[in-house]
Amino acid sequence: MSDPTSASPLPRILRALGVDGRDLASSTPLTGGTYNTVTRVTLTDGRDWVVKVPPPHSGGLRYERDLLVNGTTFSTAAAKAGIGGPAIPRLVHSEPDPTAPTGAYLVMTACPGCPWHELDAVEDAGDEARLRTELGFLIGRLHTTTGPGGFGCPAAPFGPPAATWRTAFTAMTEAVLADAVTYRAPLPYPVDRIRTVLAHAAPALDAVSRAANARSGG
């Protein structure tokens, strides 16, 4: 068993959930994420969790702020819609406030399996077709649930959900471009040119009239 280090917030999080060292069977860091620190925690009673902890800093890109809210919203909406199964994690507990004694965190049930890109090979074309069909069916079911309150990410940086997809998408892309200016990130084209192209194409976004849930990772 690998023990969490003293600098990690994981022990505080587990204590807040009523779990002490005697209840912990294993604690394994998970790789492949792009933002959060992710740990798989298995308890002696058989419960298997994934704990997500955001970075401790308060800076970063605009879209990165309060990302855990997206995961909480997604899991809650999927559960209310009755979409379950081994591929959909269930929400165990969340704490969105970074000033809480534990810091911000999200705990979900662990899902069995491994990422698609880590498979050595699919046995034959028939297996790959079957897996892709099952994946498409699952994503289709997820998209039958509507976004709560409107379009866009529920995380705070973009404000409340927007009434239209054009408004939400414009706010999100503008946040990315503003960060590019702030951090002097190299882009293939000047920021003003990108803004102009997006503005001219924006009316096409009005074809989207229904807000559907999409998975947020990290």
Side-chain angles (χ1 to χ4, degrees), residues 5 8 14 20 55 68-69 72 84 92 100 108 112 114 128 138 151 163 199 203 216:
T5 64
S8 168
L14 294 178
D20 61 29
L68 293 183
V69 174
T72 301
V92 175
M108 303 178 296
C114 67
E128 181 172 358
L138 179 62
F151 292 88
S216 174

Side-chain angles (χ1 to χ4, degrees), residues 116 118-132:
W116 191 297
E118 291 182 4
L119 292 173
D120 292 334
V122 179
E123 290 186 6
D124 56 45
D127 285 338
E128 181 172 358
R130 176 181 57 81
L131 291 173
R132 290 189 179 277

Side-chain angles (χ1 to χ4, degrees), residues 105-186:
Y105 68 89
L106 172 65
V107 182
M108 303 178 296
T109 55
C111 294
C114 67
W116 191 297
H117 70 273
E118 291 182 4
L119 292 173
D120 292 334
V122 179
E123 290 186 6
D124 56 45
D127 285 338
E128 181 172 358
R130 176 181 57 81
L131 291 173
R132 290 189 179 277
T133 298
E134 292 178 1
L135 177 62
F137 175 75
L138 179 62
I139 293 175
R141 286 200 63 197
L142 290 175
H143 284 202
T144 62
T145 63
T146 57
F151 292 88
C153 297
F158 305 111
T164 66
W165 177 230
R166 187 202 294 208
T167 303
F169 186 83
T170 299
M172 290 186 287
T173 53
E174 176 55 35
V176 173
L177 294 175
D179 282 329
V181 173
T182 299
Y183 297 105
R184 299 181 179 179

Side-chain angles (χ1 to χ4, degrees), residues 25-195:
S26 66
S27 171
T28 308
L30 298 180
T31 60
T34 58
Y35 184 69
N36 298 299
T37 297
V38 185
T39 308
R40 184 169 188 165
V41 172
T42 302
L43 307 182
T44 54
D45 62 6
R47 285 177 291 175
D48 203 6
W49 293 343
V50 170
V51 181
K52 291 187 174 184
V53 179
H57 60 77
S58 59
L61 303 178
R62 286 167 172 79
Y63 86 92
E64 293 176 335
R65 300 170 192 167
D66 299 325
L67 274 180
L68 293 183
V69 174
N70 297 337
T72 301
T73 303
F74 168 84
S75 296
T76 301
K80 286 183 178 179
I83 302 174
I88 306 297
R90 291 183 292 104
L91 179 67
V92 175
H93 192 77
S94 68
E95 172 54 73
D97 187 359
T99 66
T102 56
Y105 68 89
L106 172 65
V107 182
M108 303 178 296
T109 55
C111 294
C114 67
W116 191 297
H117 70 273
E118 291 182 4
L119 292 173
D120 292 334
V122 179
E123 290 186 6
D124 56 45
D127 285 338
E128 181 172 358
R130 176 181 57 81
L131 291 173
R132 290 189 179 277
T133 298
E134 292 178 1
L135 177 62
F137 175 75
L138 179 62
I139 293 175
R141 286 200 63 197
L142 290 175
H143 284 202
T144 62
T145 63
T146 57
F151 292 88
C153 297
F158 305 111
T164 66
W165 177 230
R166 187 202 294 208
T167 303
F169 186 83
T170 299
M172 290 186 287
T173 53
E174 176 55 35
V176 173
L177 294 175
D179 282 329
V181 173
T182 299
Y183 297 105
R184 299 181 179 179
L187 297 177
Y189 300 101
V191 168
D192 287 343
R193 180 180 175 188
I194 296 174
R195 285 191 173 117

